[in-house]
């Protein structure tokens, strides 16, 4: 009997909440039918897996609904592999790559299958190197984790949770309004120690521009120096010419320091240019911004806390 099955009261086999990897292929097929809302996809998948009300009400230790969490993780992994995308908040679509995968009619889509895509390999292991699919393979990526100590598995799980949360945050921010993005930038910089009070920061940042905000903010509460801010709510990469414009704006304001925040990323040329100029420019890409939000508690809330303990050798010494 598989981990997603259990015996019911009559002795028959009942399909319990499926593993998040078992959800991947049905979710991709569902997206292949057209744009889907996340909530509607939950209902359709629950019907496909024949889940009972008790299954749908089953909670994780953190208190989150297990099925909803697993569907969300399946969606996140498919998006990181480039098979799904979000064009507006709360909805997702299949990509051209996703359609090509469906044409191949795979029997299963799991972590091992997704490792063939460089974006997912980078997200999963930081290598960016795709892995060939083995013809005979049913062992999940979890089999590799079983060789790790419990402490190492916990650390790996925490890292995966953080990466998934950062990806979800970035997706929401990219689909937010310019006004919301403006408030987010202010909140984040204040939490990071810039701008003095929120009122000071809010009055300094607020000149709405092309999909973002820009302005001047105090470097510290005493206002001994100022930092020029440029924020772009973009999907495309920020290239060198945009950074050069930013540096020109700094010179025009006689500013020496600047922060460029984007919801996308920066080209290699942009980063190389910043490393060679005299002005102190800090580049914050989308994933860095999302991780700063997690670190400083902006737009996130704690749902569970796990205390890891070890032997107190001093206590047991005689």
């Amino acid at each position: 009997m598989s981990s997603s099955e259990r015996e019911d009261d009559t002795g028959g086999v009942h399909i319990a909440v499926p593993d998040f990897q078992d959800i991947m292929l049905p979710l991709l097929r569902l997206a292949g039918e057209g744009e889907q809302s996340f909530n509607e996809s939950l209902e359709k998948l629950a019907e496909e897996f024949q889940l009972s009300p008790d299954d749908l009400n089953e909670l994780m230790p953190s208190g989150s609904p297990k099925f909803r969490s697993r569907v969300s993780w399946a969606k996140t992994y498919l998006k990181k592999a480039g098979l799904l995308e979000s064009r507006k908040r709360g909805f997702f679509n299949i990509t051209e790559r996703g359609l090509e995968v469906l044409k191949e009619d795979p029997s299963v889509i799991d972590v091992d299958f997704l490792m063939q895509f460089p974006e997912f390999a980078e997200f999963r292991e930081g290598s960016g190197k795709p892995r060939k699919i083995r013809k005979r393979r049913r062992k999940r990526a979890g089999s590799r984790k079983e060789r790790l100590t419990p402490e190492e598995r916990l650390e790996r799980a925490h890292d995966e949770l953080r990466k998934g949360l950062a990806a979800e945050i970035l997706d929401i921010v990219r689909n937010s309004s310019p006004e919301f993005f403006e408030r987010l930038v202010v909140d984040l910089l204040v939490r990071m120690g810039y701008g003095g009070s929120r009122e000071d920061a809010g009055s300094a940042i607020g000149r709405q521009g092309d999909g973002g905000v820009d302005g001047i903010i105090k470097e510290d509460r005493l206002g001994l120096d100022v930092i020029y801010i440029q924020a772009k709510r973009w999907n495309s990469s920020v290239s060198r010419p945009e950074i050069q414009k930013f540096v020109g704006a700094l010179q025009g304001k006689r500013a020496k320091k600047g922060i460029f925040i984007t919801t996308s990323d920066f080209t290699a040329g942009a980063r190389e240019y910043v490393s060679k100029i005299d002005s102190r420019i800090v580049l914050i890409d989308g994933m860095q911004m999302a991780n700063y939000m997690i670190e400083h508690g902006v737009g996130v809330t704690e749902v569970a806390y796990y205390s890891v303990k070890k032997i107190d050798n001093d206590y047991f010494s005689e």
Side-chain angles (χ1 to χ4, degrees), residues 58-275:
E58 186 176 350
L59 301 179
M60 299 172 60
S62 64
S64 301
K66 179 177 289 187
F67 180 62
R68 183 184 185 91
S69 176
R70 290 182 175 180
V71 174
S72 179
W73 273 106
K75 178 170 69 73
T76 295
Y77 273 43
L78 291 173
K79 287 173 63 178
K80 298 307 293 185
L83 307 185
L84 294 180
E85 64 180 1
S86 292
R87 298 174 185 172
K88 58 184 180 181
R89 186 173 178 176
F91 290 79
F92 59 91
N93 302 74
I94 195 168
T95 63
E96 289 298 324
R97 177 184 287 176
L99 290 173
E100 291 175 1
V101 168
L102 288 184
K103 289 180 181 178
E104 295 172 2
D105 194 22
S107 60
V108 62
I109 294 179
D110 56 13
V111 170
D112 197 17
F113 180 93
L114 297 180
M115 284 296 293
Q116 67 180 294
F117 304 112
E119 301 92 332
F120 185 82
E122 175 68 27
F123 166 74
R124 181 76 172 179
E125 298 182 344
S127 65
K129 297 180 180 179
R131 183 190 302 165
K132 292 183 179 180
I133 305 176
R134 298 188 301 273
K135 290 185 178 181
R136 293 183 179 180
R137 53 108 179 90
R138 285 301 303 170
K139 291 184 179 180
R140 298 294 173 83
S143 61
R144 192 188 328 169
K145 294 182 182 179
E146 292 174 359
R147 295 199 296 268
L148 303 176
T149 66
E151 184 176 356
E152 289 171 333
R153 291 202 301 269
L154 181 60
E155 292 176 352
R156 177 74 65 86
H158 178 269
D159 183 57
E160 290 185 5
L161 283 169
R162 186 180 178 110
K163 287 180 178 179
L165 176 59
E168 289 296 316
I169 288 174
L170 187 55
D171 181 45
I172 293 174
V173 172
R174 283 173 174 167
N175 290 293
S176 66
S177 66
E179 293 77 16
F180 176 84
F181 185 48
E182 177 180 319
R183 294 195 302 271
L184 185 155
V185 170
V186 172
D187 289 339
L188 180 58
L189 291 176
V190 170
R191 290 285 185 92
M192 293 176 71
Y194 297 101
S197 68
R198 198 201 184 287
E199 289 75 16
D200 290 339
S203 63
I205 300 179
R207 194 169 61 234
Q208 187 171 318
D210 180 19
V213 295
D214 57 2
I216 298 176
I217 194 171
K218 296 177 183 177
E219 183 177 13
D220 51 45
R221 292 184 179 274
L222 297 178
L224 296 177
D225 203 352
V226 295
I227 299 176
Y228 188 63
I229 308 297
Q230 185 71 28
K232 296 291 186 183
R233 189 175 57 88
W234 284 4
N235 291 321
S236 57
S237 299
V238 178
S239 60
R240 174 169 174 162
E242 289 296 327
I243 305 300
Q244 289 175 320
K245 293 178 185 177
F246 182 46
V247 172
L250 280 177
Q251 295 173 347
K253 293 181 176 293
R254 296 183 178 179
K256 300 178 181 179
K257 302 176 181 179
I259 299 176
F260 198 119
I261 304 178
T262 181
T263 53
S264 57
D265 54 16
F266 298 93
T267 64
R271 294 186 182 277
E272 181 182 8
Y273 173 71
V274 166
S275 67

